[in-house]
Amino acid sequence: MQLPPALTLLAISGSLRANSTNTALLGAAALLAPEGVAITVFEGLGALPHFNPDHADTPSPEVAAFVQAAVDADGLVIACPEYARGIPGTFKNALDWLVGSTQFPGKPVMLFNASPRASDAQAALRLVLNTMSARIVDDACMTLDLLGRPWDAAAIVAESRLAEPVRKALATFCNAIQ
């Protein structure tokens, strides 16, 4: 008999690109998760309709599933690129759907960054998440320089100089939320 995971984390990439390094980083995190931790990478960002407060009480099935997955998760792992010195609109849209959730405040969040040049987006993301009353676990947040090469999850896992910081950040995050 297999026991359910002790912790469930929802990983959300702010990128819609098929070969996104942010999405690859989250895929690697799912492969590197500590024992007893299940990480699910959310894949429906592009399917979420534009946020409209008039529909918050009767959300589309895509929105309802996203909000429920975020609420049910013990924590969120976010990797978001920087577009024009800010958060991509599609990702901000997803966060807007979570704003009205009474179960989101206090939600533990860790931030991965796949580019050391994306500091403005990270600052903007922190501002939005703090406004939403998320609990950002600073000791678990990290930047991993994936610029200059098309990384996928398996390549990140295979490269110890990349995999070890991810393992350490995940362990720190899980310890902070248990």
Side-chain angles (χ1 to χ4, degrees), residues 21-22 25 80-82 112-119 122 143-147:
T21 53
N22 287 285
L25 181 52
C80 185
E82 179 171 300
F112 278 150
N113 186 353
S115 170
R117 297 187 297 201
S119 59
Q122 290 293 300
T143 297
L144 200 63
D145 188 355
L146 298 179
L147 294 174

Side-chain angles (χ1 to χ4, degrees), residues 12-172:
I12 309 168
S13 174
S15 179
L16 297 177
R17 286 186 50 227
N19 294 319
S20 164
T21 53
N22 287 285
T23 304
L25 181 52
L26 294 176
L31 296 171
L32 296 167
E35 186 174 335
V37 177
I39 299 177
T40 301
V41 179
F42 177 71
E43 296 180 357
L45 186 69
L48 298 177
H50 294 291
F51 176 70
N52 182 338
D54 291 340
H55 300 170
D57 292 335
T58 56
S60 70
E62 295 85 3
V63 169
F66 170 66
V67 171
Q68 194 62 55
V71 165
D72 288 347
D74 295 308
L76 303 181
V77 182
I78 296 174
C80 185
E82 179 171 300
Y83 295 161
R85 298 185 69 187
I87 305 167
T90 52
F91 187 66
K92 176 62 167 72
N93 182 64
L95 294 176
D96 287 343
W97 282 111
L98 294 174
V99 168
S101 169
T102 59
Q103 296 166 309
F104 187 83
K107 179 67 68 177
V109 175
M110 71 180 293
L111 302 176
F112 278 150
N113 186 353
S115 170
R117 297 187 297 201
S119 59
D120 290 325
Q122 290 293 300
L125 184 54
R126 283 177 174 275
L127 178 63
V128 170
L129 290 168
N130 283 325
T131 302
M132 294 171 63
S133 299
R135 181 169 65 97
I136 299 173
V137 179
D138 288 317
D139 290 343
C141 298
M142 64 169 291
T143 297
L144 200 63
D145 188 355
L146 298 179
L147 294 174
R149 186 171 144 191
W151 294 96
D152 64 12
I156 294 168
V157 170
E159 183 74 39
S160 63
R161 72 177 176 83
L162 300 175
E164 287 311 310
V166 172
R167 276 191 185 98
K168 182 178 177 186
L170 288 168
T172 299

